């Protein structure tokens, strides 16, 4: 039992709590004296849910102690040292080294943003800490400036507060249906409830670097719903101050976790910047793997997407006149509001609804994007929605003549859209433009047909590898995924790949759908054009697809 007197409390018969030095969502931090070894320490008193039953409270304590002991096994110069884990009066405590100095958040608040060299130093130290933790099967899950300590005497960067960390193979204290972490620094795949892995911590690091450089998270908004919308849907816009480290920041803030920049490569790029003053671009040796729990092997790094083309924005295309009012913002914010209810304990994964309703519409959710044009021959019949895989499609790719897009004949029933995203293509009359994050969609009335476009940097392995990786993730991104087939082809002399598949749609009302997706590489860029439609209307969808890819040109 703890003893108390003269405002001093001793726990576990050893640690005298002297002054409260911090407080967070997971507990109170005290400066304390270790009376056995005669040293100053920090003691974190973990908060417990008082509404739980005795059995539930006991289970919560056991889980928190088990996780704390796992973190205590970590030994790294940039991870807080955990000296002891104790229980006193049925309450768990974590005894840690005492760092004299404030957090990175304190430093930013008092002295302003740091320069690129200091941000690179902080990033290198944190990446080393994260790699060590991930190799041990521990995720942090709440990486933010407030959880990074800066030792005053040495400038040492110390990652702390693994209070909501997840140990591989364990059900954690916080995994009870409630949202945990800081939304401005939480990866989109965690928002959706789809997965949490080492890549999620790396996204958080990307947001942290932006904050360190500019003084504010790029996802800060006036409301929780706004933050969720910014993380999951809006175009990611690093601050101007991030320009020297932009390849690293953009790589870490890649929404597709399988293409996110890995810790090893990010650390190498930041070290190169510290040595040369220049940040190299990502190499081409990356082969992504899918992980739902942390692995003990080091994580390779994907390619870094470049800054979006000049002029990219949400404004309507130049031609024709604007269609019906956009529904995206209101709809997305309503779904985000539902997520707030989930975070209050409703258990609803509303962020998943936000991602699907405002993003992919049943199309490949996060892939390398496109610029260029190609054509495929229509299938002779609608694909089946079950049974064996589709036969390998025959693909013929044509290249339009040298005439400019504006001078080419547009098929009857179509219009030529000059998109502010940096491309031109023919879309059916009545389709309206709806930018959704890193993609641009043209939707039919009622959204039965969804034509999507994305532009990105080349990826390792080229279009065929990109499509195969996307197909491998098809079951996790497209409910009821089936009959998938990836075929290598070319567009003129440019490499390309066609991915075709069926799936169940996002809702029962929507019903089964079929998707055609062509990805190709041209002039140092990668382009992706896809069309999804109800399975009973694939012939019409194939015509839309052929016209779109044939007429597509970068502007």
């Amino acid at each position: 039992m703890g003893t108390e007197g003269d405002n001093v409390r001793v726990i576990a018969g050893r640690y005298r709590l002297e002054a409260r030095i911090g407080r967070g969502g997971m507990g109170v931090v005290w400066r304390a004296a270790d009376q056995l070894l005669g040293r100053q320490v920090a003691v974190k008193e973990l908060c417990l849910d008082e509404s739980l039953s005795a059995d539930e409270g006991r289970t919560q304590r056991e889980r928190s102690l088990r996780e704390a002991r796992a973190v205590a096994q970590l030994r790294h110069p940039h991870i807080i040292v955990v000296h002891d884990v104790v229980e006193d009066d049925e309450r768990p405590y974590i005894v840690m080294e005492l760092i004299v100095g404030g957090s990175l958040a304190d430093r930013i608040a008092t002295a302003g943003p740091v320069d690129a060299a200091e941000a690179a130093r902080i990033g290198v130290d944190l990446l080393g800490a994260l790699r060590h933790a991930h190799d041990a099967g521990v995720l942090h899950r709440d990486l933010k400036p407030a959880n990074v300590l800066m030792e005053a005497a040495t400038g040492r960067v110390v990652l702390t507060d693994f209070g909501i960390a997840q140990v591989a193979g364990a059900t954690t204290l916080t995994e009870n249906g409630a949202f945990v972490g800081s939304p401005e620094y939480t990866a989109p795949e965690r928002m959706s409830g789809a997965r949490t892995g080492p890549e999620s911590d790396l996204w958080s690091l990307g947001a942290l670097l932006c904050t360190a450089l500019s003084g504010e998270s790029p996802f800060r908004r006036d409301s929780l719903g706004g933050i969720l919308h910014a993380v999951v849907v809006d175009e990611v816009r690093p601050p101007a101050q991030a320009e020297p480290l932009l390849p690293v920041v953009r790589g870490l803030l890649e929404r597709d976790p399988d293409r996110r920049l890995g810790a090893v490569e990010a650390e190498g790029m930041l070290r190169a910047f510290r040595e040369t003053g220049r940040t190299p671009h990502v190499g081409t040796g990356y082969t992504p793997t899918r992980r739902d729990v942390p692995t003990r092997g080091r994580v390779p790094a994907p390619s870094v997407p470049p800054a979006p083309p000049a002029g990219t924005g949400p404004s309507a295309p130049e031609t024709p006149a604007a269609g019906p009012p956009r529904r995206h913002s209101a709809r997305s914010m309503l779904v985000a509001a539902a997520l707030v209810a989930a975070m209050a304990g409703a258990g609803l994964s509303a962020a998943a609804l936000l991602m699907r309703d405002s993003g992919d519409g049943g199309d490949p959710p996060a892939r390398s994007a496109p610029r260029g044009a190609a054509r495929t021959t229509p299938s002779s019949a609608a694909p089946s929605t079950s049974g064996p895989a589709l036969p390998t499609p025959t693909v013929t790719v044509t290249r339009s003549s040298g005439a400019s897009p504006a001078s080419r004949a547009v098929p009857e029933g179509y219009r030529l859209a000059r998109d502010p995203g940096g491309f031109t293509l023919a879309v059916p009359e009545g389709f309206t433009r709806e930018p959704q994050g890193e993609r641009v969609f043209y939707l039919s009335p009622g959204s039965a047909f969804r034509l999507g476009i994305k532009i990105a940097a080349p990826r390792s392995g080229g279009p065929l590898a990109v499509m195969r990786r996307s197909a491998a993730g098809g079951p996790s991104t497209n409910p009821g995924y089936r009959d998938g087939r990836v075929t290598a082809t070319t567009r003129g002399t440019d490499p390309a790949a066609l991915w075709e598949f069926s799936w169940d749609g996002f809702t029962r009302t929507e019903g089964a759908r079929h998707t055609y997706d062509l990805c190709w590489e041209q002039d140092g860029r990668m382009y992706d054009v896809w069309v999804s439609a109800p399975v009973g209307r694939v012939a019409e969808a194939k015509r839309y697809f052929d016209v779109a890819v044939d007429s597509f040109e970068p502007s």
Side-chain angles (χ1 to χ4, degrees):
M1 294 288 289
T3 61
E4 191 168 354
D6 297 327
N7 297 320
V8 173
R9 183 156 51 108
V10 177
I11 62 167
R14 173 176 175 177
Y15 304 106
R16 186 178 68 248
L17 308 184
E18 297 177 336
R20 191 170 69 183
I21 58 177
R23 184 180 183 92
M26 297 299 294
V28 177
V29 181
W30 302 83
R31 186 180 68 245
D34 181 346
Q35 299 181 127
L36 179 62
L37 298 181
R39 62 181 175 182
Q40 291 287 299
V41 294
V43 175
K44 184 171 185 178
E45 178 182 3
L46 297 181
C47 295
L48 298 178
D49 188 345
E50 302 295 340
S51 66
L52 298 178
S53 67
D55 288 342
E56 291 170 335
R58 188 177 306 108
T59 300
Q60 186 187 51
R61 289 194 301 275
E62 291 173 354
R63 288 174 177 172
S64 64
L65 289 168
R66 182 172 66 247
E67 292 179 12
R69 291 182 182 116
V71 175
Q73 303 304 309
L74 301 177
R75 290 290 183 268
H76 190 274
H78 299 293
I79 294 178
I80 194 80
V81 175
V82 176
H83 295 309
D84 200 359
V85 180
V86 299
E87 189 173 9
D88 187 277
D89 196 19
E90 297 189 338
R91 185 176 295 274
Y93 295 82
I94 304 174
V95 183
M96 304 170 288
E97 66 172 318
L98 179 65
I99 303 296
V100 179
S103 68
L104 177 59
D106 296 332
R107 175 172 173 174
I108 295 170
T110 57
V114 304
D115 61 20
E118 176 68 354
R121 182 184 78 88
I122 293 169
V124 166
D125 292 348
L126 291 177
L127 282 163
L130 289 174
R131 285 198 294 110
H132 183 77
H134 295 165
D135 287 348
V138 176
L139 304 180
H140 190 279
R141 298 204 302 172
D142 197 23
L143 180 59
K144 59 185 178 182
N147 287 339
V148 176
L149 302 180
M150 310 292 290
E151 193 169 48
T154 65
R156 180 166 69 110
V157 175
V158 182
L159 180 58
T160 187
D161 204 353
F162 283 78
I164 60 169
Q166 174 183 323
V167 180
T171 301
T172 71
L173 166 68
T174 52
E175 294 212 335
N176 58 3
F179 183 90
V180 294
S182 304
E184 290 179 43
Y185 299 93
T186 299
E189 65 271 14
R190 278 199 62 218
M191 290 283 196
S192 73
R195 60 189 280 192
T196 297
E199 306 88 353
S200 301
D201 281 345
L202 296 177
W203 168 282
S204 301
L205 178 61
L208 179 145
L209 289 176
C210 289
T211 302
L213 288 161
S214 69
E216 185 174 89
S217 164
F219 306 107
R220 177 163 297 177
R221 299 295 188 271
D222 293 335
S223 66
L224 179 57
I227 292 172
L228 302 179
H229 189 273
V231 170
V232 175
V233 175
D234 281 350
E235 179 186 356
V236 178
R237 299 194 180 193
Q241 297 91 331
E243 180 66 29
L245 305 179
L246 196 58
V248 176
V249 169
R250 283 201 169 276
L252 294 174
L253 294 180
E254 161 62 51
R255 279 199 173 95
D256 182 349
D258 286 328
R259 296 194 186 122
R260 195 165 297 150
L261 188 63
V264 173
E265 195 152 16
E267 183 176 339
M269 294 167 72
L270 290 176
R271 289 187 183 279
F273 174 81
R274 296 187 68 194
E275 294 171 1
T276 67
R278 298 181 60 187
T279 303
H281 287 275
V282 180
T284 58
Y286 174 64
T287 303
T289 56
R290 186 167 183 83
R291 294 171 303 278
D292 292 320
V293 295
T295 60
R296 294 183 181 273
R298 291 186 178 179
V299 184
S303 302
V304 182
T312 299
S315 56
E318 294 178 20
T319 59
R326 286 174 54 202
R327 305 172 305 281
H328 166 63
S329 296
R331 182 173 66 230
S332 298
M333 298 315 294
L334 286 173
V335 179
L339 181 54
V340 177
M343 294 171 62
L348 172 65
S349 182
L353 298 176
L354 175 59
M355 292 185 76
R356 77 186 187 204
D357 202 26
S358 60
D360 304 320
D363 307 55
R367 255 185 324 286
S368 305
R371 261 198 198 185
R375 171 174 231 135
T376 59
T377 56
S379 302
S380 58
S384 65
T385 59
S386 61
L390 293 169
T392 302
T394 303
V395 181
T396 33
V397 178
T398 62
R399 182 100 183 225
S400 302
S401 66
S404 66
S407 64
R408 291 192 202 114
V410 177
E412 184 177 356
Y414 292 76
R415 61 183 175 83
L416 192 66
R418 297 179 177 86
D419 195 276
F423 57 87
T424 303
L425 83 167
V427 300
E429 293 284 359
F431 277 42
T432 56
R433 181 181 189 268
E434 186 167 330
Q436 298 181 0
E438 298 167 326
R439 304 164 187 79
V440 174
F441 281 83
Y442 284 86
L443 307 177
S444 68
S447 299
F449 295 92
R450 301 193 277 263
L451 192 166
I453 306 100
K454 187 183 172 191
I455 304 172
R459 306 294 186 181
S460 62
L464 184 60
V466 167
M467 290 289 96
R468 284 174 173 170
R469 291 194 290 262
S470 296
S476 64
T477 56
N478 300 86
Y481 176 85
R482 57 190 175 276
D483 298 343
R485 180 77 71 181
V486 175
T487 306
T489 184
T490 60
R491 176 186 179 268
T493 59
D494 298 320
L498 175 70
W499 179 26
E500 187 176 355
F501 61 94
S502 297
W503 55 297
D504 287 344
F506 284 125
T507 66
R508 184 175 301 177
T509 301
E510 183 177 53
R513 299 181 66 81
H514 192 74
T515 297
Y516 298 95
D517 185 351
L518 188 74
C519 176
W520 72 94
E521 194 170 325
Q522 173 191 354
D523 298 331
R525 303 286 296 201
M526 191 166 279
Y527 302 92
D528 200 357
V529 172
W530 66 94
V531 171
S532 77
V535 292
R537 305 177 70 179
V538 291
E540 187 178 355
K542 193 60 169 59
R543 289 195 297 272
Y544 294 158
F545 177 68
D546 286 340
V547 170
V549 297
D550 185 51
S551 62
F552 186 96
E553 288 290 345
S555 57

